[in-house]
Amino acid sequence: MSKESRRQFLAGLAGTGLMSLAGCAGLLPGRDGRGPSPPIGEGDQEPGDSFEPPTYTPPEPEPLPAPDVTRTLQATEATISPSGSDTRRTWTYDGQYIGPELRVSEGDVLEVTLQNDLPAVTTTHWHGIPLQNAMDGVPYVTQDPVDQGTPFTYTFRAEPAGTYFYHSHVGLQLDRGLLGPLVVEEADPHVDYDREFTVVFDDYLDQPPEPLSNGGSGMGGGMGGGMGGMMGDVRPPYTGLTANGRLPTNAPTLDVEEGERIRFRFVNAASATEFRTRLAGHRMAISHVDGRPVDPVTVDEFVFGPGERYDAVVKMTNAGAWQLLADPVDGEESPARVDVQYEGQDGPPRLPDWGSGQHLRYGSLHAREEMPVSGSPDRVYDLTLSRAGNSYTWLIDGQAYPNAEPLDVKEGEHVRFRMINHSPVTHPMHLHGHFFRVGDALMDTVRVPGHMGQVSIDFRADNPGNWLFHCHNLYHLESGMARVVRYV
């Protein structure tokens, strides 16, 4: 890699979270011993010359047939207006926030050409899809970052069916708005519905994101907010929370007819927000978790963290106007909002009755497909999740990425990660390239509760390559909370 290419890459990054391959255990110099950590900006930083990213060549992808669906995504700077009035410049796909929905049929070969017209390098990751390693979109783990002014073509078979999303996996670019939904339609759904509606929840910054610093204070102009403390967490200064790219003062409206069944595809694409989600006046039958089908379970509300997705079928049997809200579990922002309006009904939409009724629990989810693992595992990793004292450095088993040993597996093994959370905050842990078992459900992202919360995940090592395993709180990832699962 040329000196200029390294500079472009670093200009697009925010910290060390995705700066190199953890499959190489050598240390890189930098702050807190974690490697260089330049702040993200407009692509014009001049980083030092000490950074030389490790090299990694993913397995050669198997040839695929000619694509069934061909798309182009332009990563570009654009003007957006989530409030409907105030505008700002940010980075987008195809000039819109949220990016365009990509919708294909299960089994289709999808070819997407990313055209990078940003002032920095970038990639696109296909969150939740267990595709071939070379198409996963993680810089210096599965590919070189895409240079300014150049294209990169991702080709993969869209399977299994489910609700997914795509986003940049470089630095803090996700928190600029580089994201969009990806829907893979099943041929024979196990639930009946008349229409569907995709809802992407996000947290919204009105300024470029920057890393969070030691002790909970922000870097470079006040990215702090909240209480950091010795071992706690902080939130960026979010302006608000959005549903399908719109703030609650400019909420989208879903017009419905009495008696119809709506399938909601809920995506938490936020960088640092767990959402408590509820539709006033109605119950929801949860039908899918992270795209995988489950026996429908009827609830009044659910919580989901960054990277998680839930599908739910709602019977429209309570005429009126109602608010669908996603309230931050931690944070002072007003809830993200969708107004659900029955035909012929007037008046302001009514609020949910928070706290009452049935709340979804992981233990209530039961997969409708055969589990890929059972019995005793072939390999077990005991992993602690923690923060490094008063430093804003987040650790997996005492190590901060990229200066972290890989988690080695062999193809065909049944692997178990036993996680215990020594911090007081929840960590939504995501494994690329695989689904894993939690209890009786299949997922790709799972929330590990704070205050010594414990979660075990089991997966079959059936997709060779090097795969990122990380917290999907973007600021935890940027600050070290990642490992690479390496096939050996």
Side-chain angles (χ1 to χ4, degrees), residues 329-346:
V329 173
D330 295 300
E332 302 299 323
E333 302 87 4
S334 296
R337 172 178 164 183
V338 175
D339 291 339
V340 177
Q341 185 86 31
Y342 279 72
E343 184 179 15
Q345 298 293 315
D346 297 319

Side-chain angles (χ1 to χ4, degrees), residues 220-408:
M223 281 292 292
M227 296 296 291
M230 285 291 291
M231 297 296 290
D233 201 6
V234 291
R235 285 170 60 76
Y238 289 119
T239 303
L241 305 173
T242 62
N244 291 349
R246 299 171 69 168
L247 290 163
T249 54
N250 183 38
T253 298
L254 173 62
D255 294 318
V256 301
E257 296 181 5
E258 190 166 5
E260 71 176 336
R261 297 158 299 182
I262 304 294
R263 177 180 179 175
F264 289 91
R265 295 179 181 266
F266 293 108
V267 177
N268 186 341
S271 294
T273 302
E274 290 183 278
F275 290 105
R276 193 167 53 128
T277 308
R278 193 175 186 118
L279 172 58
H282 300 76
R283 307 192 79 199
M284 299 178 282
I286 303 297
S287 61
H288 298 74
V289 54
D290 289 351
R292 312 310 312 128
V294 296
D295 292 332
V297 54
T298 300
V299 298
D300 295 281
E301 70 178 59
F302 64 90
V303 171
F304 68 151
E308 290 189 284
R309 293 93 61 213
Y310 283 106
D311 290 17
V313 177
V314 178
K315 295 180 180 179
M316 295 298 162
T317 57
N318 192 4
W322 308 93
Q323 291 186 19
L324 168 64
L325 295 182
D327 194 38
V329 173
D330 295 300
E332 302 299 323
E333 302 87 4
S334 296
R337 172 178 164 183
V338 175
D339 291 339
V340 177
Q341 185 86 31
Y342 279 72
E343 184 179 15
Q345 298 293 315
D346 297 319
R350 285 178 276 180
L351 288 163
D353 180 16
W354 291 110
S356 63
Q358 183 69 34
H359 297 197
L360 182 67
R361 300 288 184 266
Y362 283 146
S364 302
L365 299 170
H366 301 284
R368 293 182 60 87
E369 54 197 334
E370 184 177 349
M371 291 290 182
V373 288
S374 62
S376 300
D378 302 301
R379 191 182 298 258
V380 177
Y381 284 100
D382 290 307
L383 303 173
T384 59
L385 311 178
S386 63
R387 179 174 165 181
N390 199 39
S391 167
Y392 199 82
T393 303
W394 292 93
L395 310 172
I396 296 180
D397 216 30
Q399 298 181 31
Y401 187 81
N403 302 327
E405 297 173 355
L407 304 174
D408 286 342

Side-chain angles (χ1 to χ4, degrees), residues 140-306:
Y140 297 116
V141 175
T142 67
Q143 68 172 103
D144 287 336
V146 183
D147 288 332
Q148 299 168 246
T150 63
F152 184 90
T153 298
Y154 297 92
T155 305
F156 56 92
R157 193 176 295 279
E159 59 185 8
T163 301
Y164 306 98
F165 71 114
Y166 59 92
H167 62 84
S168 169
H169 224 300
V170 171
L172 298 179
Q173 290 182 5
L174 169 61
D175 217 6
R176 288 178 176 269
L178 283 168
L179 61 104
L182 169 62
V183 173
V184 181
E185 297 177 330
E186 65 267 70
D188 186 21
H190 74 286
V191 288
D192 295 324
Y193 58 95
D194 301 301
R195 282 194 294 147
E196 59 180 81
F197 186 64
T198 303
V199 184
V200 180
F201 294 124
D202 193 17
D203 33 30
Y204 172 67
L205 280 173
D206 63 0
Q207 64 187 71
E210 299 176 6
L212 300 175
S213 68
N214 296 349
S217 60
M219 294 181 66
M223 281 292 292
M227 296 296 291
M230 285 291 291
M231 297 296 290
D233 201 6
V234 291
R235 285 170 60 76
Y238 289 119
T239 303
L241 305 173
T242 62
N244 291 349
R246 299 171 69 168
L247 290 163
T249 54
N250 183 38
T253 298
L254 173 62
D255 294 318
V256 301
E257 296 181 5
E258 190 166 5
E260 71 176 336
R261 297 158 299 182
I262 304 294
R263 177 180 179 175
F264 289 91
R265 295 179 181 266
F266 293 108
V267 177
N268 186 341
S271 294
T273 302
E274 290 183 278
F275 290 105
R276 193 167 53 128
T277 308
R278 193 175 186 118
L279 172 58
H282 300 76
R283 307 192 79 199
M284 299 178 282
I286 303 297
S287 61
H288 298 74
V289 54
D290 289 351
R292 312 310 312 128
V294 296
D295 292 332
V297 54
T298 300
V299 298
D300 295 281
E301 70 178 59
F302 64 90
V303 171
F304 68 151

